[in-house]
Amino acid sequence: MGQLLKVDDINVYYGAIHAIKGVSFEVNEGEIVTLIGANGAGKSTTLNTISGLLRPKTGSITFLGEDITRTPAHKLVEKGLSQVPEGRRVFLQMTVQENLEMGAFTEKNSDLRGRMDRVYEQFPRLKERYRQVAGTLSGGEQQMLAMGRALMSDPKLLMMDEPSMGLAPILVEQIFEIIKSLHEAGTTILLVEQNAQMALDIADRAYVLETGKVTISGSAKELLENDKVRSAYLGE
Amino acid sequence: MKKITSKGLSPYRKNEIISYGIAILGFAVISVLRSLGMVSSSLQGQLVPICAYVIMAVSLNLVVGISGELSLGHAGFMSVGAYTGIVVSGIMGTMGAADPVRFFAAVIAGALAAGVAGFLIGIPVLRLRGDYLAIVTLAFGEIIKNIMNIVYAGIDENGFHISTKSDYGLSAEGRMLLNGPMGATQVDRISTFFYGFILVMVTLFVVQNILNSRQGRAIMACRDNRIASESIGLNVMKNKLMAFTVSSALAGMGGVLFGLNYSTLLPIKFNFNTSILILVFVVLGGLGNIWGSMIAAIVLTVLPEALRQFADYRMLVYAVVLIVVMIATYNPAIRSRVSAFAEKYLRRKKPDAAPAEGGAD
Ligand SMILES: Nc1ncnc2c1ncn2[C@@H]1O[C@H](COP(=O)(O)OP(=O)(O)OP(=O)(O)O)[C@@H](O)[C@H]1O
Ligand SMILES: [Mg+2]
């Protein structure tokens, strides 16, 4: 199990606001790692910094042994790092199929057909609706589409920002089932979630973020048994 | 990518055919009518400007409709093209070049100059998020106008002269090209309706090929959702810059066509009002709708002339027509009455409008 991603002591600011204060963690090949934390803890900020949408003031980010701290967002997909951004950002005016095609935009001469078939296998709902305009999909379907689109680049690491946000419990279960099966199919996953219970159930390891700092970390099992985690994030 | 989308692209193709159809049919009909002597002299004089405005509207649509950035200085690029073209045509004229050679050399030079201007403006501005492009293009239009007001140029046996002073030593036999606030003078009117038609076709070809290409998908994706575009590895700035540069170059081309249609051309002709007029064509024709831009440009160029009989009420009628068209094209009840084909097209363009219509019934 090689190391895929290493985040080393990053500090991120929004103007004068110090949003991330010295966060470090790593993701190894084949793992599901989850970042959990309350609203405003800095989870999205962390992901957006990794994916190049934000720049850390200090600290470094390494992906597959290569320093990507200052690599622009659009170059990371080619390197095998794909993000499903927060809030189901699909191309509303394009069809399901066109959205998926866009996901493989940076790939040249690759086996698109095969990948699309695999995505449709994972998400049968999308297959049924391949010609439907994305703007008319339900929230859950849009989330699936955003995930499917990210998978079209065949990423080595898939980062997801709150895939369960705003979905009915039954759909949340479905989404997590899919994440699990993606993982079983060999994709390494970095998952940001507020739904700590669900996230810890499927994750290998977890980090708890509180106001921009990692306060607790360990295997998912340990965290599920941690008293502080139980009272603060599992509502017990 | 097209390999996979078998049926998905057909609406784009249909629109493409409509645009070419309008251009070819318009040219054929007018040509026949002209040979029969059935075109009024006022319309006759408007044929080249109509072509120029069609080029302006279609090219602006590439920025405003397709790439989703507001530009308020399209006339500025038209101006750069026009004056570059006039100078090039003037110089070549004194060298005795044939008209078609002069014209197309001027077109290439004008497009290049305007394209470079667009590129240079785009580099810093398109990095920013927000409406900065609108502000900067607005300023650009005004700056170009003011620069043209103080540029003097001419050619004589000693060669080409350019200066910001009116007494720049042009010899008596020399030929004045640019005369400061008086603009271009003694321009050889070498633009023709046929050339205009060719340039319209070139513009349609360029814009519609971009639209249907991989690049076009990327440009529209960046417009629709910047964050999603970045997450799939698109360089948003590069895509927007590409659209803006191409649009500027095409506007320069339209400017050359326009400029070489008049014997004198004042810099004030390319002011803010002209930019807004072109923007009106685009908005009224429908953002992203190429043939809509063409129709709007044609109708709204012909209309003020056709309304001359209303004398003082002319602009009032013009405004009323604008409002009616706006209401009509956005009214679901009227829209649902248009043909099945048009319906299909509109639903595709505005997917979120479809359920809203259903809900209103
Ligand atoms: N663009 C911004 N400008 C200023 N402050 C910001 C900006 N985006 C986020 N913040 C602040 O940074 C902190 C971390 O925000 P972030 O979005 O990373 O939280 P989060 O953990 O993802 O929360 P949530 O679970 O609600 O999505 C918050 O205090 C937030 O207000
Ligand atoms: Mg968040």
Side-chain angles (χ1 to χ4, degrees), chain A residues 1 37 39 58 82 92 136 186 198 226:
Chain A
M1 279 226 294
N39 288 112
T58 60
S82 208
L92 296 172
T136 63
M198 297 289 282
N226 184 307

Side-chain angles (χ1 to χ4, degrees), chain A residues 178-193:
Chain A
I178 292 168
I179 297 173
K180 234 161 82 183
S181 72
L182 292 178
H183 175 236
E184 278 154 17
T187 312
T188 307
I189 290 166
L190 175 58
L191 175 66
V192 158
E193 258 303 333

Side-chain angles (χ1 to χ4, degrees), chain A residues 7-14 17-25 35-47 49 56 58 207-216 233:
Chain A
V7 174
D8 191 16
D9 197 22
I10 55 167
N11 284 281
V12 185
Y13 293 77
Y14 291 107
I17 303 168
H18 193 175
I20 299 294
K21 303 160 186 159
V23 164
S24 302
F25 64 94
L35 298 181
I36 54 179
N39 288 112
K43 305 181 296 294
S44 299
T45 305
T46 305
L47 273 203
T49 308
T58 60
Y207 296 84
V208 177
L209 266 184
E210 270 171 45
T211 55
K213 285 188 188 130
V214 174
T215 51
I216 309 170
Y233 300 103

